[in-house]
Amino acid sequence: MRLAAALVLATALPLQAETVDPVPTFDLDSSITCLAYTLYEIERNPDYAASRAEWLVFFSRLIEAKSGPEDRAAFKARFDEALESLRNPMFDVNEPATPEEADEILTGTGKMCWFQALAAEGGPYEGQ
């Protein structure tokens, strides 16, 4: 599953060079988290790959638009950290989240990505 998700990500990332109207209040760290969340969703359910391709492209472009040279250099480490925190959520430092807490973390992350970026002004699903 992870290989399939990585392939989807790899095919979406070259599109990041195209322009995007960034959501002004959506910061770089949140954009990286949302890209990781989208990939994590595809890992958990490969059937989401087609419906999440637009999300991958949007967050890739948003990251590109908000990144400077130092951000680009640190992208892989920051993305890997965000993805790992979704795969293995922690309630506190060195304390794994319970299943209920993990579900709450993932639900909150998904809502943030949807309401603050995807459905917000400038997002691909603006006003939905």
Side-chain angles (χ1 to χ4, degrees):
M1 270 190 283
R2 289 184 180 180
L3 179 59
L7 290 174
V8 170
L9 180 61
T11 59
L13 285 178
L15 299 174
Q16 72 184 1
E18 296 179 22
T19 60
V20 66
D21 294 325
V23 178
T25 60
F26 205 67
D27 63 69
L28 179 61
D29 286 332
S30 296
S31 300
I32 291 171
T33 297
C34 289
L35 182 65
Y37 175 79
T38 304
L39 185 62
Y40 177 72
E41 276 197 317
I42 295 168
E43 284 180 349
R44 287 185 18 198
N45 188 345
D47 292 339
Y48 285 177
S51 67
R52 295 299 187 254
E54 188 171 9
W55 293 30
L56 291 170
V57 171
F58 174 74
F59 287 115
S60 295
R61 290 177 179 168
L62 189 58
I63 291 164
E64 177 62 24
K66 291 186 170 284
S67 294
E70 290 177 7
D71 299 316
R72 288 183 191 94
F75 170 77
K76 183 175 178 359
R78 291 169 75 180
F79 176 79
D80 289 347
E81 182 181 325
L83 186 58
E84 183 59 27
S85 72
L86 293 169
R87 288 177 179 155
N88 300 300
M90 301 295 260
F91 180 71
D92 203 354
V93 178
N94 297 322
E95 187 179 330
T98 65
E100 294 80 16
E101 291 165 341
D103 185 54
E104 191 175 311
I105 291 166
L106 294 172
T107 300
T109 302
K111 286 182 177 182
M112 175 197 67
C113 297
W114 177 259
F115 289 112
Q116 294 181 13
L118 293 165
E121 184 177 346
Y125 304 97
E126 183 176 341
Q128 293 183 22

